[in-house]
Amino acid sequence: MVLINWEKRKNPTKKEIADFAAENNVSPILAELLMSRDLTSKTEIDDFIHADVTELQDPFGLHDMDKALEVIDDAIENESKIAIYGDYDADGVTSTSIMKLTLQKLGVKPIFYIPDRFKDGYGPNLDVYKFLADQNIDLLITVDNGVSGKDEIKYLKDRGIKVVVTDHHDLPAELPEADAIVHPTIPGAEYTCPYLSGAGVAFKIADALLGDEALDLIDLAAIGTIADSVPLLGENRVIVTEGLKRMADNKHVGLGALIKKCKLKINQMTEEDVGFKIAPRINALGRLTNASSGVELLTTGDVSFAKEIVDETEEINSKRQELVASAFNDSESQIAEQKDDDVLILKSDQWHQGILGIVASRAVDQENKPALVMQYDEDSQLYKGSGRSPEGFNLFDALNAHNELFASFGGHAQACGFSISKEGLEKLTPLLLEEPSKQNFNPEGSVTKYFDLELGLQDLNFDLIKEINQLAPFGMGNPKPVLKLSNVSLSQVKAIGKDGTHLRTNITDKNHQVGAIGFGMFTKAENMNTDICDVYGELGINEWAGRKNLQLMLDDFEVSPEGLKISQLQNVYFDYRNKQISGAILNKFDAVVFFNETYYEAANRQHPNVKLIMYNESCDGKNILIYDRPHNLELFKEFIKNNQTSHVALYFHTDLTNRYLKPDMIAMKNFLKYLYTHQNIKADGMDLVAEYLGYKKTDIDFYLKVFFELDFVKMVNGFVEKANASQQRELIESPTYLKRLQRNDVEKILIESDFDDLLSWMSDYDCHC
């Protein structure tokens, strides 16, 4: 289990939050969230919260956009044959779909090619380019790839074929000699939104060609943007916000069918719906088969055909889930065998190549170690695989240091793809195991994560969700706010999911509770040694059978500092408050401690062979039982501050007929009024007064004693009369009343409280903590 170190993202003072909220006319909650995202000016805040199409940038701000349009316009005018070359992931499929639909709106019927993950690999492929050239194409438009295809593009140019590259990936040392390269980070022509996805760049082409009509395609651009995990800032935020809204227009029947299949509400789509439901299904096509059917789905106008593809996609996605679960379960034994290694090298000849990256990601999440996951391909006699790594370890650098051992290799700091021979892997393994130490990476170290707000359970409500959702859509660069709930408990812990590894629980305090789900967290919850913990998670809504309930999606939970104290005290203190105590039980203790001499003397007579001591005697190192309760909490505080006992049984015996009940203020006022308005009331006749007023005689005696002490009444010849008090007195000035309040506190805390609550109170004073 990865150790997480939680820190608050930003920590403004209450005054800073209040001033910011007042200045920008927002709530304190929203103010703190905006401040944590460094949004400080009114313009920034307004653009962020109210992102809309008016914030879309001029597409001609992108490098070579004018050249690209000139090439495409010439091709359309000359009725040239146009091919689109895409990619097999969700960003590539949506990019291809956007470009295809754009050209169709202009009267062109382009062909498209989605590379096969297993046959063609990622990016430009010379064999595919030769195939397309043989189809007599006049123009190739790449989407979501192409910028690294220098040699492949040169081949097309040598055959007289024009090439427009649209891409967003890292730039190579040397750009291809295409007719136009539309890319947001070309040096000297950096675009205002440098982190557009491939679908975002394709949408900007559509915007330049179609104008406002391109907005019909912005929902597809939103899917690609979310799926590719680019920062949801600037124009990306506008694309996703507007794209989610426009899905309800249902201009793409295939997308509508897919949304329906996922049982989502098309008029309430969120970035989470796309990220966890829509995109994985599109990605599954490229992982297990050819993703061309994804383009067909997103571009068809035939409802029946769309349903056919959606059903097929659902089957493929289910198969993908099964393959991932099977492969990861299969890998667990290898992970266990490599528990002492800082890099995991997991291999099989049975695993499907399309799911290796997902398995690697799961291994990294579980172990916080870099992981290479590979499948042996008999045809090529190579291991083909994917690598993933946690933050803090650069996998690309680690593998690139031994580049000569690979048949092929590429990627970036946290993800790589490769192929390697058996001999190469044998040589690589010991070398790779040395790389973490070279990078000063320790898998056993903690991972720092951030929370945004520290709240109480009573603060969680639907209005809070509305406040938080003003910052949506969430994603990279704008993570969904994480809440911290301190000193709460996990109750009704249940295992859920097919393998029983996931957690369903309630987060509770004394007066509130909210349901929670934690993926892969059941074992951790089951092994908690105390109920008191700090919880971290995102607040959402669970809809079931037409009812909406708050639900926390757990990121983590840990024993809180207070919970740790309670856990320590649970090893020292034992709850004997409801037990029957005999002399035989008392004899088991080194000493029995008393706070009241009356009980001490009585016990001394009844149990002469038991070691009895008073509370002000030392108990260090002893196993003791506290027999009775003190009259006030200060005595007990001093006792637990100073006595280093080994074990303590808390009995707190007292006579139940003298429970320390709270004084009834209304009854006291009515009784005093009665005394003031009646004459000739004898002090020894108060039983009749109690009967008349309906009060207990013991309460009347208590009230009367308080009134005498405060000079509210006086005794004259055996009669109770009103006193001529010269000043107003407070009840607490009566020693009898004060003693009753002190006994009340004793009763409430030492006797009536839950044992964990009692230990929580004791933890502030006890010397064992």
Side-chain angles (χ1 to χ4, degrees):
M1 185 65 68
V2 179
L3 178 63
I4 300 175
N5 175 40
W6 285 96
E7 295 180 4
K8 194 163 188 204
R9 196 178 304 277
K10 291 286 177 69
N11 207 10
T13 65
K14 288 184 178 180
K15 184 179 185 307
E16 288 171 336
I17 294 171
D19 290 346
F20 186 96
E23 182 180 343
N24 294 284
N25 194 29
V26 296
S27 71
I29 290 285
L30 188 55
E32 187 169 0
L33 292 173
L34 291 168
M35 293 171 77
S36 73
R37 284 153 176 73
D38 295 320
L39 296 166
T40 55
S41 74
K42 289 184 181 296
T43 301
E44 286 178 330
I45 293 170
D46 188 62
D47 288 347
F48 194 86
I49 294 178
H50 305 293
D52 60 34
V53 292
T54 62
E55 296 175 47
L56 288 174
Q57 302 298 305
D58 181 358
F60 288 92
L62 278 160
H63 180 267
D64 276 0
M65 181 63 82
D66 52 348
K67 292 181 181 179
L69 256 65
E70 184 178 342
V71 173
I72 294 171
D73 284 341
D74 284 348
I76 295 172
E77 185 176 341
N78 295 321
E79 298 183 354
S80 301
K81 189 172 184 179
I82 302 175
I84 304 165
Y85 186 87
D87 189 23
Y88 45 70
D89 65 3
D91 190 21
V93 168
T94 51
S95 302
T96 305
S97 300
I98 290 168
M99 192 62 69
K100 179 185 176 188
L101 290 169
T102 298
L103 294 174
Q104 286 177 351
K105 285 176 181 288
L106 295 171
V108 178
K109 291 184 178 180
I111 63 172
F112 71 89
Y113 190 94
I114 298 293
D116 186 286
R117 178 190 291 264
F118 314 107
K119 184 175 66 176
D120 304 321
Y122 167 75
N125 180 295
L126 185 58
D127 289 337
V128 175
Y129 277 22
K130 289 178 180 178
F131 167 77
L132 292 173
D134 290 342
Q135 306 302 306
N136 298 316
I137 65 170
D138 302 295
L139 168 63
L140 178 74
I141 303 175
T142 72
V143 291
D144 193 33
N145 77 98
V147 76
S148 61
K150 179 177 178 292
D151 293 337
E152 293 84 356
I153 289 172
K154 182 179 185 303
Y155 168 81
L156 293 181
K157 294 297 297 176
D158 288 345
R159 289 191 58 169
I161 298 170
K162 293 191 174 182
V163 180
V164 171
V165 170
T166 78
D167 200 356
H168 71 118
H169 290 97
D170 291 346
L171 298 172
E174 190 174 353
L175 294 174
E177 295 180 2
D179 294 273
I181 301 176
V182 182
H183 193 291
T185 62
I186 299 288
E190 292 88 350
Y191 186 58
T192 54
C193 183
Y195 22 75
L196 286 173
S197 66
V201 175
F203 173 74
K204 298 308 293 185
I205 296 275
D207 188 11
L209 287 167
L210 303 176
D212 290 345
E213 196 177 351
L215 292 174
D216 290 342
L217 307 172
I218 199 169
D219 52 352
L220 302 183
I223 294 172
T225 300
I226 294 168
D228 216 47
S229 297
V230 290
L232 292 190
L233 301 171
E235 196 167 23
N236 282 347
R237 184 171 174 80
V238 179
I239 289 171
V240 172
T241 301
E242 192 67 22
L244 292 172
K245 290 178 186 175
R246 290 184 179 247
M247 285 183 191
D249 295 341
N250 203 19
K251 286 189 168 55
H252 305 109
V253 297
L255 176 57
L258 184 57
I259 289 171
K260 184 177 180 180
K261 189 71 173 181
C262 295
K263 298 180 181 178
L264 300 172
K265 296 180 179 179
I266 198 167
N267 59 343
Q268 296 178 22
M269 293 291 290
T270 68
E271 69 280 5
E272 290 180 339
D273 292 335
V274 173
F276 293 105
K277 298 286 187 180
I278 302 298
R281 283 165 168 79
I282 298 174
N283 278 326
L285 298 172
R287 290 188 182 281
L288 302 190
T289 60
N290 187 283
S292 296
S293 59
V295 178
E296 299 287 2
L297 174 66
L298 297 178
T299 59
T300 185
D302 187 326
V303 175
S304 298
F305 183 48
K307 184 180 182 305
E308 203 175 297
I309 299 175
V310 164
D311 290 342
E312 179 188 346
T313 301
E314 192 68 15
E315 290 179 11
I316 292 171
N317 187 54
S318 296
K319 180 66 174 176
R320 186 267 306 172
Q321 292 171 329
E322 292 172 5
L323 289 171
V324 170
S326 175
F328 187 71
N329 289 339
D330 195 26
S331 74
E332 291 278 28
S333 59
Q334 295 184 50
I335 292 173
E337 290 171 2
Q338 299 176 41
K339 63 180 175 23
D340 296 327
D341 296 335
D342 290 344
V343 178
L344 300 173
I345 299 177
L346 313 174
K347 57 184 184 291
S348 170
D349 57 0
Q350 301 298 317
W351 299 339
H352 194 288
Q353 288 183 32
I355 51 87
L356 299 179
I358 303 176
V359 175
S361 293
R362 288 197 179 183
V364 171
D365 290 341
Q366 178 176 291
E367 303 296 325
N368 196 39
K369 296 177 180 179
L372 301 186
V373 180
M374 61 200 83
Q375 181 254 355
Y376 187 71
D377 181 63
E378 288 287 353
D379 292 337
S380 64
Q381 294 192 335
L382 293 172
Y383 280 110
K384 295 184 177 181
S386 293
R388 300 290 186 271
S389 70
E391 291 290 335
F393 184 82
N394 192 311
L395 184 61
F396 180 87
D397 287 350
L399 297 182
N400 197 40
H402 313 288
N403 196 13
E404 72 283 356
L405 298 176
F406 292 95
S408 63
F409 159 69
H412 54 80
Q414 261 62 62
C416 293
F418 62 88
S419 58
I420 191 169
S421 66
K422 286 185 176 181
E423 295 77 14
L425 183 61
E426 288 178 5
K427 293 178 181 178
L428 175 69
T429 299
L431 298 172
L432 192 57
L433 292 177
E434 297 175 0
E435 289 296 327
S437 62
K438 292 181 180 179
Q439 295 189 26
N440 295 317
F441 174 75
N442 178 16
E444 303 300 322
S446 63
V447 175
T448 299
K449 292 189 176 182
Y450 298 93
F451 67 92
D452 298 85
L453 299 170
E454 186 166 3
L455 302 173
L457 271 176
Q458 72 278 4
D459 300 317
L460 308 189
N461 51 51
F462 290 101
D463 288 337
L464 176 61
I465 292 179
K466 290 179 182 177
E467 289 285 296
I468 290 173
N469 283 344
Q470 289 189 66
L471 300 179
F474 301 110
M476 185 178 290
N478 179 37
K480 191 169 185 179
V482 176
L483 311 182
K484 177 183 179 181
L485 305 171
S486 299
N487 298 321
V488 293
S489 298
L490 306 184
S491 66
Q492 299 182 35
V493 171
K494 294 181 181 178
I496 60 173
K498 290 182 180 179
D499 55 1
T501 60
H502 305 313
L503 169 68
R504 175 183 289 142
T505 185
N506 286 330
I507 311 300
T508 64
D509 61 17
K510 291 180 182 178
N511 303 308
H512 308 86
Q513 74 172 27
V514 64
I517 297 291
F519 291 110
M521 295 184 179
F522 174 71
T523 301
K524 180 177 180 179
E526 194 178 34
N527 293 334
M528 289 275 286
N529 57 4
T530 177
D531 288 337
I532 309 300
C533 57
D534 293 340
V535 167
Y536 304 86
E538 295 101 37
L539 187 62
I541 297 174
N542 177 38
E543 287 194 50
W544 179 254
R547 297 185 62 183
K548 293 184 178 181
N549 294 296
L550 296 175
Q551 179 174 274
L552 201 67
M553 190 61 64
L554 296 176
D555 291 306
D556 191 26
F557 49 86
E558 58 189 2
V559 176
S560 67
E562 181 174 334
L564 188 60
K565 289 181 180 180
I566 291 173
S567 179
Q568 291 173 324
L569 294 184
Q570 285 173 335
N571 295 322
V572 177
Y573 291 94
F574 302 91
D575 192 0
Y576 274 46
R577 289 175 298 174
N578 294 313
K579 292 182 180 292
Q580 294 294 323
I581 300 296
S582 64
I585 291 177
L586 295 179
N587 256 317
K588 294 180 181 292
F589 294 92
D590 297 333
V592 179
V593 176
F594 291 81
F595 282 89
N596 300 278
E597 289 192 8
T598 302
Y599 288 120
Y600 172 81
E601 292 169 359
N604 222 349
R605 292 191 295 271
Q606 295 176 22
H607 309 290
N609 297 323
V610 176
K611 173 67 174 176
L612 310 180
I613 62 175
M614 291 298 291
Y615 70 92
N616 51 4
E617 299 180 50
S618 174
C619 301
D620 287 356
K622 294 180 179 179
N623 298 314
I624 67 168
L625 177 140
I626 297 180
Y627 188 88
D628 60 342
R629 71 190 74 175
H631 288 305
N632 69 69
L633 291 175
E634 293 305 316
L635 285 177
F636 189 65
K637 288 180 186 177
E638 285 301 312
F639 179 83
I640 62 176
K641 280 180 184 178
N642 298 316
N643 284 276
Q644 291 280 357
T645 50
S646 295
H647 298 94
V648 182
L650 302 175
Y651 179 46
F652 293 145
H653 169 76
T654 192
D655 186 349
L656 294 179
T657 60
N658 291 317
R659 295 287 299 264
Y660 305 145
L661 302 178
K662 183 176 180 180
D664 188 331
M665 298 295 295
I666 295 176
M668 291 185 76
K669 288 179 180 179
N670 289 339
F671 178 43
L672 185 60
K673 182 179 180 181
Y674 182 88
L675 294 177
Y676 281 2
T677 56
H678 290 75
Q679 298 179 352
N680 302 321
I681 302 176
K682 289 188 174 182
D684 57 4
M686 288 298 164
D687 53 343
L688 296 176
V689 175
E691 184 179 348
Y692 175 78
L693 294 176
Y695 297 167
K696 293 179 181 179
K697 176 61 165 56
T698 52
D699 288 340
I700 288 291
D701 293 341
F702 168 73
Y703 300 154
L704 191 59
K705 187 174 183 181
V706 172
F707 295 159
F708 278 128
E709 290 175 352
L710 296 175
D711 292 327
F712 290 168
V713 297
K714 61 183 178 180
M715 185 76 72
V716 178
N717 299 325
F719 292 93
V720 178
E721 296 183 2
K722 180 179 180 180
N724 296 317
S726 59
Q727 60 181 8
Q728 188 173 349
R729 305 288 297 277
E730 298 291 337
L731 288 175
I732 201 170
E733 295 180 58
S734 161
T736 298
Y737 187 83
L738 180 59
K739 188 175 182 180
R740 173 63 68 88
L741 291 184
Q742 291 173 337
R743 290 183 175 183
N744 261 355
D745 291 340
V746 170
E747 183 79 17
K748 181 179 179 182
I749 293 176
L750 300 188
I751 307 303
E752 295 178 352
S753 64
D754 176 87
F755 193 56
D756 277 350
D757 290 339
L758 173 58
L759 294 182
S760 178
W761 176 84
M762 291 171 59
S763 68
D764 289 336
Y765 313 102
D766 195 272
C767 60
H768 296 90
C769 294

